Amino acid sequence: MARRSTVKDVAREAGVSVSTVDRALNGRMKVREETLRKIAAAAHRVGYHARGLIEHRMVPDRPKMRFGFVLLKPSQAFYQQFAKEIERAVTARMDVEGQAVIRYAKSQAPEEFASLMESLGRRVDSLGCVAVNHQSLNPVVRDLQDKGVPVFSLLNDFAQGIRRNYVGSNNVKIGRMAAWMISKTVKQPGKLALFVGGNRWHGHDLREVGFRSCIRENAPALPVLDTLVNLETRELTYEATLDLLSRHPDLRGLYVAGGGMEGAIAALREMRQPHEVSLVVNELTDDSRAALADGYAVMAIATPLDTLCTELIELMINAVHAGDDGVVGQYFLQPRIYLPDMI
């Protein structure tokens, strides 16, 4: 039987004394707000059975707030981790009694995104979405904003000029980073290729722009083939990569600008030796970690999900409290770079 977490576990995880946790739990003496947050977050991480009581006693009468999120592909490791980080960031807030409501789109159809956003927007105080760029989403976002539900675009910047903030990477720079690494690791003359998820992902378009511009400036002797669309699926990426390798024996570099990298990795393992093709992927998962370790990938560019979710919840709370001040903007996060020697 698994051991039940204790006050000592909470204290160790929070980096405070047992007596401090006891004071916070029983309200015997005042504890600093920063320390209270550490204790509450630690209690959640170790699964302390009385964490709900701790949060209630530490910050009584907190305003309730519901945070809505639309994500993709619940079976993908990246979005599974995204959901975990959302829950962690919401739980860590001591100034509100927050609840995360997460829904997943089953396709890339704009109609599905619009429907999810509209239905979820009626039940939450603020909404953050990973969604495609399509004009059918604009009136939904505008209507929610008018009703006092601020909308945030995540990873891909849709409804520009209407949504409250974009939170994610500077995608032009991400594309340039991928191109720079490939140009420095290609060992022989040859061709380069890249995959994007689809034509409705503005973020992927920007990565392609950054990738091509960097290659033109720094490695003009490496021609870039026509961009391929993989719909961010493992199967389609696998088949398309096999076809690329068959038709272009001199393929030297490959960038998967969105999802589906597992298919590219599998195809390279079948048809090429390690280090023959310089592959750059996004996000660090079990597949990309193994590819880096085995010489089938040269870099993984990861989204700092912990930072993204922490900052996003702060922005969402501030937007609800401040109301619509007419200010929209972009909140760029610094990516995390993983190289083979770091694995």
Side-chain angles (χ1 to χ4, degrees):
M1 182 179 296
R3 185 178 68 86
R4 198 175 194 184
S5 298
T6 66
V7 170
K8 289 183 178 180
D9 297 317
V10 177
R12 183 181 62 253
E13 183 71 17
V16 300
S17 66
V18 172
S19 61
T20 299
V21 176
D22 182 68
R23 290 199 306 270
L25 177 60
N26 296 290
R28 296 191 180 115
M29 295 178 64
K30 186 174 181 181
V31 179
R32 289 190 307 157
E33 182 178 351
E34 181 182 352
T35 304
L36 295 178
R37 290 194 181 194
K38 284 185 180 180
I39 293 172
H44 181 74
R45 288 195 297 271
V46 302
Y48 183 55
H49 67 281
R51 61 185 181 273
L53 179 61
I54 289 178
E55 294 170 358
H56 175 74
R57 289 187 177 178
M58 288 197 303
V59 186
D61 302 323
R62 293 180 297 167
K64 297 181 184 295
M65 190 171 293
R66 302 189 73 182
F67 305 92
F69 302 91
V70 175
L71 303 180
L72 296 172
K73 300 180 183 294
S75 62
Q76 282 193 359
F78 172 74
Y79 285 105
Q80 291 173 359
Q81 186 61 34
F82 202 162
K84 290 180 182 178
E85 290 296 339
I86 287 172
E87 295 281 3
R88 178 201 59 78
V90 171
T91 302
R93 296 296 300 216
M94 291 294 98
D95 51 342
V96 299
E97 185 178 339
Q99 178 186 1
V101 184
I102 303 174
R103 298 290 181 267
Y104 295 90
K106 298 179 181 179
S107 71
Q108 296 188 15
E111 298 79 13
E112 182 178 5
F113 286 110
S115 176
L116 283 171
M117 292 166 63
E118 189 173 23
S119 61
L120 190 54
R122 292 194 293 265
R123 304 172 51 205
V124 299
D125 299 292
S126 185
L127 187 63
C129 305
V130 180
V132 296
N133 295 85
H134 195 270
Q135 60 184 8
S136 63
L137 272 60
N138 294 352
V140 176
V141 174
R142 185 178 292 108
D143 182 60
L144 289 174
Q145 296 270 124
D146 290 343
K147 292 177 179 177
V149 180
V151 179
F152 294 80
S153 61
L154 311 178
L155 306 182
N156 181 67
D157 195 3
F158 64 91
Q160 294 184 29
I162 306 173
R163 50 87 180 127
R164 183 59 177 255
N165 286 101
Y166 163 72
V167 184
S169 301
N170 183 327
N171 287 301
V172 172
K173 289 186 177 181
I174 295 294
R176 291 185 64 86
M177 291 168 62
W180 185 89
M181 178 55 72
I182 288 175
S183 71
K184 299 301 180 184
T185 53
V186 164
K187 298 179 180 180
Q188 301 178 53
K191 302 183 182 71
L192 309 180
L194 73 152
F195 286 103
V196 298
N199 297 323
R200 289 171 174 164
W201 294 106
H202 181 56
H204 294 185
D205 289 342
L206 293 178
R207 290 179 182 183
E208 178 187 359
V209 169
F211 185 90
R212 290 182 178 276
S213 66
C214 184
I215 293 297
R216 283 197 304 269
E217 295 166 14
N218 299 289
L222 296 173
V224 183
L225 299 171
D226 290 342
T227 300
L228 298 170
V229 174
N230 67 353
L231 301 180
E232 299 198 283
T233 65
R234 177 195 300 254
E235 296 79 8
L236 186 54
T237 309
Y238 171 74
E239 296 295 340
T241 304
L242 289 178
D243 182 63
L244 267 177
L245 295 170
S246 297
R247 290 189 297 109
H248 302 283
D250 60 342
L251 185 72
R252 305 301 180 203
L254 178 62
Y255 174 42
V256 182
M261 65 174 171
E262 301 88 352
I265 293 169
L268 287 174
R269 289 185 183 277
E270 285 187 23
M271 298 189 65
R272 291 290 187 271
Q273 294 299 311
H275 309 294
E276 283 190 14
V277 177
S278 293
L279 172 68
V280 173
V281 298
N282 290 292
E283 310 310 338
L284 187 69
T285 65
D286 289 344
D287 287 278
S288 59
R289 186 185 295 273
L292 287 167
D294 297 342
Y296 284 99
V298 295
M299 182 167 70
I301 307 173
T303 304
L305 288 175
D306 53 348
T307 302
L308 185 156
C309 293
T310 298
E311 297 298 330
L312 174 61
I313 298 304
E314 177 74 17
L315 290 170
M316 295 173 93
I317 292 173
N318 290 341
V320 171
H321 288 164
D324 187 0
D325 56 7
V327 177
V328 298
Q330 295 175 313
Y331 192 95
F332 290 141
L333 301 165
Q334 189 67 27
R336 291 176 183 158
I337 304 301
Y338 294 92
L339 305 175
D341 289 344
M342 300 169 63
I343 301 302

